[in-house]
């Protein structure tokens, strides 16, 4: 099922609209959506000739309702571009300063910033995701207990919770939903209104986005919106909207037509009906980073003020993507060509190739391909960057240890190209394009730059992700620690469980030193069974599965320590006893490492 709609009214000074062939883009989108296992999509295409809306697939898979171009959809993190635009409106009015400390507007917010005297956390840093803040905890996004009317501050956690700055503010991009939560709080403090109400009145209404809102909208209930497409989890299971604690980062309901209106505004001088809504210079500065190490090294790609700039599909534009488990969306604008597109899918399966589907719309715009930067002899010695790297700062503080162990990338220069070999995933090839700049194989412009950070040494960055060189011995030591711990737990599971069962049958259980550790390890292996009846979207709630997992992971080091003490007391005269002690010691050291990184006990809620 595919439909095409022509928008009859002009928006933001748009000319009359012309239709594309109904059997061209619309048909290709319908085919791609079906082949990728998606449910449905609604989109808009903006060109100097006007706006075309389209839709394909199903609005509600269970009820068999087809998607229409006029249906409302949700956009996930594309909401951040609107939040940023709202803040820029306040900047235009002189009520907020981009380079003012966040503490000026949120004086009651405890901020732990080791660089406070030198570089305080600024409003600009929140907009640019360069504040060094954690992204989000699971309970802040995946919960079925969210309250759309709760104070925004509740999403920070307990009253004593502090906002921790983990890296020098302004230096590096690290995506952070928490940053945009703080921006929502800032809007409320400055305006004296709920951020949803102020943005609806002072941003959406002047733009003429009549069917869009920051308020929570659901498909269900007495006041449910029947025009809102149903979300689908994992491509098949219908799932209604759910309230998210960090709602300024993801909560926004709109239509393809309204998004075309917004795209035109982003490409304008900031005036609407003769009224200055946002300073044109601020709009042009979106997606133009200035403070990061990548930007200061001369790399053009990066993120700033609510949009990211990078090459996709052979063309370079300013884009933002969003996903929330049940919806996935993208908006891209190409201001110099006055072209843009938006698309929202009402599902977000991991195995789908969204890039393939998005490229169909992007290629229909007629934007000229990015000019290839001529190759030249590198101005640095790439061989000096050979070594081991990790992402700094990592995105999710809660799982930083996993990134340090499994997120390692080895970089090597072979005389012609730079090869990035991550521990997980396929290698990437970077080709020199002059000076310290490299481009990813298959791209046409520089995508990476080799540079040095004042306080950390060599880095490789694409403006959106920074790899920092770390000593090889540190990587190897962590691998050895994790390997010994994993093998020890396997020993306790297999050998310890078998011996415990035998001792129990012989009524000699008290003489088996491994019994405490073996029982807890065995229960941990069985713990996933507790999650079978639990919705994935409740992974951040204190469900029986999560409570059981926290209890067992908390008991694990205690049980191992008790078994180790008993093993020593019972004597170490045999090779088997020595092996038991080594296994218990190896398991205990890994538990202590995991506890030091905040992974034991493992609590997925607050």
């Amino acid at each position: 099922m595919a439909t095409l709609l022509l928008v009859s009214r002009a928006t933001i000074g748009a000319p009359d609209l012309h239709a594309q062939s109904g059997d061209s883009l619309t048909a290709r989108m319908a085919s791609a959506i079906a082949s990728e296992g998606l449910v449905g999509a609604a989109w808009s295409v903006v060109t100097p000739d006007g706006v075309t809306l389209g839709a394909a697939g199903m609005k509600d898979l269970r009820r068999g309702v087809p998607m229409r171009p006029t249906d409302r959809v949700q956009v996930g993190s594309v909401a951040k571009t609107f939040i940023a635009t709202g803040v820029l409106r306040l900047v235009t009015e002189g009520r907020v300063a981009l380079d003012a400390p966040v503490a000026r507007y949120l004086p009651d917010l405890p901020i732990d910033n080791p660089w406070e005297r030198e570089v305080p956390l600024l409003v600009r840093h929140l907009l640019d995701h360069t504040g060094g803040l954690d992204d989000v905890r699971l309970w802040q996004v995946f919960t079925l207990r969210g309250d759309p009317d709760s104070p925004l501050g509740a999403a920070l956690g307990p009253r004593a919770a502090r906002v921790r700055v983990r890296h020098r503010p302004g230096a590096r991009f690290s995506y952070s939903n928490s940053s945009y939560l703080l921006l929502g709080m800032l809007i409320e403090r400055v305006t004296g209104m709920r951020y949803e109400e102020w943005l609806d009145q002072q941003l959406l209404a002047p733009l003429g986005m009549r069917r869009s809102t920051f308020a929570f909208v659901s498909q269900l209930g007495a006041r449910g919106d029947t025009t809102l497409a149903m979300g689908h989890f994992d491509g098949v299971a219908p799932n209604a909207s759910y309230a998210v604690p960090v709602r300024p980062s993801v909560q926004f309901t709109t239509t393809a037509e309204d998004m075309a209106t917004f795209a035109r505004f982003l490409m304008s001088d900031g005036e609407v009906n003769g009224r200055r809504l946002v300073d044109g210079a601020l709009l042009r500065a979106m997606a133009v980073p200035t403070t990061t190490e990548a930007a200061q090294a001369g790399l053009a790609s990066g993120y700033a003020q609510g949009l990211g700039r990078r090459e996709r599909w052979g063309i370079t534009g300013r884009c933002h993507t969003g996903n929330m488990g049940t919806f996935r969306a993208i908006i891209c604008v190409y201001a110099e060509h006055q072209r843009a597109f938006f698309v929202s899918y009402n599902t977000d399966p991991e195995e789908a190739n969204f890039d393939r589907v998005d490229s169909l719309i992007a290629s229909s715009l007629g934007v000229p391909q990015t000019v290839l930067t001529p190759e030249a002899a590198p101005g640095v010695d790439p061989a000096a960057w050979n070594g081991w790297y990790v992402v700094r700062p990592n995105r999710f503080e809660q799982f930083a240890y996993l990134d340090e162990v499994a997120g390692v990338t080895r970089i090597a220069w072979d005389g012609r190209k730079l090869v990035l070999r991550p521990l997980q995933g396929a290698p990437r090839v970077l080709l020199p394009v002059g000076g310290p700049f490299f481009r990813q194989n298959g791209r046409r412009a520089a995508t990476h730059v080799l540079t040095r950070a004042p306080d950390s040494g060599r880095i490789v960055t694409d403006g959106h992700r920074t790899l920092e060189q770390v000593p090889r011995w540190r990587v190897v030591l962590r691998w050895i620690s994790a390997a010994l711990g994993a093998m020890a737990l396997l020993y306790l599971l297999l050998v310890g469980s078998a011996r415990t069962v035998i001792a129990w049958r012989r009524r000699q259980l008290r003489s088996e030193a491994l019994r405490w550790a073996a029982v807890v390890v065995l229960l941990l292996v069985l713990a996933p069974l507790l999650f079978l009846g639990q919705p994935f979207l409740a992974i951040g709630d204190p469900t029986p599965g999560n409570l059981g997992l926290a209890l067992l992971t908390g008991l694990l080091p205690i049980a191992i320590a008790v078994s180790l003490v008993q093993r020593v007391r019972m004597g170490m005269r045999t090779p088997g006893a020595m092996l038991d002690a080594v296994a218990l010691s190896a398991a205990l050291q890994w538990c202590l490492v995991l506890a030091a990184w905040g992974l034991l006990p493992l609590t997925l809620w607050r």
Side-chain angles (χ1 to χ4, degrees), residues 236-581:
V236 292
N239 203 103
S241 302
Y242 59 99
V244 176
V246 289
R247 60 183 186 271
S249 297
V250 297
Q251 183 174 288
F252 191 71
T253 301
T254 187
T255 66
E257 181 181 359
D258 275 2
M259 290 302 294
T261 297
F262 183 58
R264 284 197 174 279
F265 176 72
L266 293 177
M267 298 187 292
S268 74
D269 61 1
E271 288 192 5
V272 178
N273 298 323
R275 175 188 177 191
R276 176 72 64 186
L277 201 63
V278 176
D279 189 292
L282 294 174
L283 290 180
R284 291 188 292 274
M286 297 176 82
V288 183
T290 57
T291 68
T292 62
E293 294 159 337
Q296 301 205 354
L299 192 68
S301 64
Y303 187 103
Q305 298 179 188
L307 284 173
R309 183 182 188 275
R310 62 169 44 163
E311 178 190 335
R312 291 186 178 203
W313 320 294
I315 54 180
T316 299
R318 299 181 295 160
C319 303
H320 207 301
T321 58
N323 61 291
M324 52 189 300
T326 54
F327 277 87
R328 184 184 182 94
I330 181 172
I331 183 173
C332 284
V333 297
Y334 307 88
E336 61 272 31
H337 307 289
Q338 288 296 295
R339 286 169 164 80
F341 77 89
F342 162 80
V343 58
S344 175
Y345 307 91
N346 58 341
T347 187
D348 184 26
E350 290 186 7
E351 65 277 8
N353 184 358
F354 285 97
D355 195 59
R356 172 200 168 197
V357 190
D358 294 340
S359 68
L360 296 177
I361 301 182
S363 62
S364 74
L365 295 176
V367 176
Q369 288 201 326
T370 303
V371 177
L372 176 64
T373 306
E375 288 199 13
V380 298
D381 178 11
W385 268 257
N386 289 352
W388 301 78
Y389 291 75
V390 295
V391 176
R392 294 279 173 82
N394 73 300
R395 181 171 171 180
F396 300 100
E397 184 178 12
Q398 186 175 12
F399 302 110
Y401 174 74
L402 302 181
D403 290 331
E404 293 288 319
V405 173
V408 177
T409 296
R410 186 176 182 181
I411 296 180
W413 169 254
D414 67 2
R416 295 180 301 108
K417 60 184 181 296
L418 205 63
V419 181
L420 280 61
R421 290 190 173 88
L423 190 63
Q424 303 180 79
R428 287 182 293 164
V429 174
L430 303 183
L431 303 175
V433 293
F437 301 104
F438 288 72
R439 64 177 176 88
Q440 189 171 330
N441 193 26
R443 302 289 177 87
R444 302 178 61 82
T447 58
H448 292 71
V449 63
L450 310 187
T451 186
R452 291 175 178 268
D455 54 357
S456 59
R458 295 184 180 89
I459 61 173
V460 178
T461 177
D462 64 358
H464 298 268
R465 185 169 179 264
T466 298
L467 295 175
E468 180 180 303
Q469 191 173 35
V470 293
R472 181 177 179 180
W473 64 264
R474 186 182 301 170
V475 174
V476 173
L477 185 62
R478 285 177 176 156
W479 283 353
I480 291 174
S481 170
L484 289 175
M487 289 189 295
L489 291 179
L490 184 62
Y491 176 87
L492 295 175
L493 175 64
L494 299 179
V495 177
S497 296
R499 282 168 38 184
T500 298
V501 171
I502 293 173
W504 176 71
R505 288 179 175 177
R506 293 177 178 177
R507 299 187 178 183
Q508 299 175 346
L509 190 59
R510 298 183 64 179
S511 65
E512 178 49 62
L514 297 184
R515 68 186 186 280
W516 300 106
V519 168
V520 175
V521 173
L522 178 60
L523 290 175
L524 267 175
V525 172
L526 298 176
L529 296 176
L530 296 173
F531 292 88
L532 292 180
Q534 173 182 314
F536 176 80
L537 294 179
I539 195 67
D541 294 330
T543 61
N546 285 341
L547 292 170
L549 183 63
L551 176 64
L552 291 173
T553 52
L555 287 175
L556 181 62
I558 298 174
I560 292 173
V562 170
S563 289
L564 180 58
V565 170
Q566 186 170 354
R567 177 68 273 173
V568 173
R569 285 181 176 176
M570 290 175 63
M572 307 288 291
R573 293 180 294 274
T574 66
M578 292 292 294
L579 183 59
D580 287 351

Side-chain angles (χ1 to χ4, degrees), residues 1-5 20 25-27 29-30 33 40-44 52-58 66-71 256 343-344:
M1 176 67 69
T3 55
L4 180 71
L5 180 70
Q20 63 187 20
L25 174 61
T26 307
M29 284 290 291
I33 287 170
W43 64 86
S44 54
T52 302
L53 308 181
M58 306 304 294
M67 184 78 85
R68 299 177 302 173
T70 55
D71 284 328
V343 58
S344 175

Side-chain angles (χ1 to χ4, degrees), residues 62 97 116 135 220 295 469 545 592 594 596:
R62 179 175 294 168
E116 179 63 32
D135 181 358
L220 304 179
Q469 191 173 35
L592 295 177
L594 293 175

Side-chain angles (χ1 to χ4, degrees), residues 111-126:
I111 300 175
D112 182 8
N113 178 11
W115 300 270
E116 179 63 32
R117 290 187 178 181
E118 182 182 353
V119 190
L121 182 65
L122 307 179
V123 175
R124 183 186 301 276
H125 298 150
L126 298 183

